[in-house]
């Protein structure tokens, strides 16, 4: 399960303009999505807290918003950061959108892959050839993980790992072919030869056309 990031927010007063929010040191934000039992919720979040959040979260990080109402009461909503708008010149965040998925419905996410260990084939003339640094998946919010860890220690020359080789929960739908290669250890020289051959073929074809 992915770690939950906690963030404070304040409900914006009705009619409160974005420019006024920014002058107070906040950025405007909105919560939306099928998981809300009401309409969109308009918020303001500290600019400093927003920058700290962006340094620490990923697309897969659940964000628990602790929201203060105008009367001082608070409530929490678990969301995911969907988009952040940035200033064209300063690149500072100027607006954030938070999404609440419908309960029991899967989300489409790209979950990072972390490769651990040193493939034994690297000491035999092989090279590390990573085909995918993340996996596109459909997943329930409760099943979200921060990353998939793939141990490549036992990979020898000409070995590879495919999607079907990964140890992934059956509850998670990977949106790639099971035979899709995730990482491989080809012979370095063989890869170079393939590239050189392709370049020669292109030159020959170009010469024939001329």
């Amino acid at each position: 399960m992915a770690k939950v990031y906690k963030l404070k927010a304040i409900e914006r007063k009705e009619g409160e303009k974005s420019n006024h929010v920014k002058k107070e040191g906040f950025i405007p934000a909105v919560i939306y999505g099928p998981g809300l039992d009401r309409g969109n919720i308009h918020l303001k979040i500290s600019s400093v807290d927003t920058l700290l959040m962006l340094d620490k979260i990923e697309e897969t990080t659940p964000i628990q918003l602790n929201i203060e109402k105008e009367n001082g009461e608070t409530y929490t909503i678990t969301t995911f950061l969907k988009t952040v708008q940035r200033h064209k010149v300063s690149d500072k965040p100027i607006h954030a959108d938070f999404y609440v998925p419908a309960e029991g419905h899967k989300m489409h996410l790209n979950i990072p892959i972390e490769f651990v260990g040193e493939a034994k084939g690297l000491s035999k003339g092989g090279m590390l050839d990573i085909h995918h640094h993340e996996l596109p998946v459909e997943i329930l919010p409760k099943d979200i993980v921060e990353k998939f860890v793939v141990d490549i220690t036992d990979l020898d020359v000409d070995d590879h790992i495919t999607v079907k080789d990964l140890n992934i929960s059956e509850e998670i739908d990977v949106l790639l072919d099971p035979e899709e290669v995730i990482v491989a250890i080809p012979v370095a020289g063989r890869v170079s030869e393939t590239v050189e051959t392709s370049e020669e073929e292109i030159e020959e074809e170009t010469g024939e056309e001329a």
Side-chain angles (χ1 to χ4, degrees):
M1 181 69 181
K3 293 180 181 178
V4 176
Y5 187 89
K6 296 182 179 181
L7 183 67
K8 292 182 179 180
I10 302 172
E11 279 193 4
R12 287 165 60 186
K13 298 175 183 178
E14 187 174 349
E16 189 173 12
K17 302 296 184 182
S18 295
N19 287 340
H20 181 261
V21 169
K22 294 172 186 175
K23 286 179 181 178
E24 290 183 324
F26 294 88
I27 71 163
V30 64
I31 305 175
Y32 72 99
L36 283 179
D37 56 4
R38 52 186 278 196
N40 294 352
I41 304 173
H42 297 275
L43 311 169
K44 55 185 178 182
I45 302 170
S46 162
S47 298
V48 174
D49 288 347
T50 302
L51 288 171
L52 290 173
M53 173 189 69
L54 294 177
D55 280 341
K56 296 180 179 179
I57 69 165
E58 304 287 346
E59 179 187 6
T60 56
T61 306
I63 301 170
Q64 186 183 84
L65 289 173
N66 184 19
I67 303 167
E68 181 181 335
K69 300 169 70 173
E70 191 173 351
N71 61 8
E73 294 179 357
T74 61
Y75 62 99
T76 60
I77 298 179
T78 299
T79 70
F80 293 86
L81 182 64
K82 199 67 173 178
T83 57
V84 175
Q85 296 177 26
R86 293 180 177 272
H87 192 277
K88 293 180 180 179
V89 177
S90 68
D91 199 42
K92 291 181 179 179
I94 57 175
H95 192 279
D97 293 346
F98 295 91
Y99 179 77
V100 182
E103 187 175 351
H105 288 259
K106 292 187 175 183
M107 299 174 61
H108 186 170
L109 294 175
N110 293 307
I111 298 183
I113 303 172
E114 179 182 345
F115 297 97
V116 298
E118 182 172 334
K120 61 184 180 183
L122 297 181
S123 62
K124 302 177 183 179
M127 63 173 288
L128 182 63
D129 185 14
I130 297 175
H131 292 217
H132 293 278
H133 289 274
E134 58 186 19
L135 286 182
V137 302
E138 286 189 345
I139 188 169
L140 289 171
K142 69 179 182 65
D143 296 324
I144 290 175
V145 293
E146 291 184 66
K147 59 191 175 185
F148 295 120
V149 178
V150 178
D151 189 346
I152 61 173
T153 305
D154 292 332
L155 284 185
D156 209 337
V157 173
D158 286 336
D159 284 347
H160 61 266
I161 294 175
T162 63
V163 170
K164 69 180 181 182
D165 298 322
L166 301 177
N167 184 21
I168 295 178
S169 167
E170 294 181 356
E171 302 298 322
I172 301 174
D173 298 326
V174 180
L175 304 179
L176 290 175
D177 188 287
E179 300 295 335
E180 181 80 16
V181 173
I182 301 299
V183 60
I185 308 294
V187 176
R190 188 182 304 158
V191 173
S192 299
E193 289 171 6
T194 302
V195 173
E196 289 173 4
T197 301
S198 299
E199 290 176 349
E200 289 173 2
E201 289 174 352
I202 292 172
E203 289 177 0
E204 289 176 2
E205 290 176 2
T206 304
E208 290 175 1
E209 290 177 0

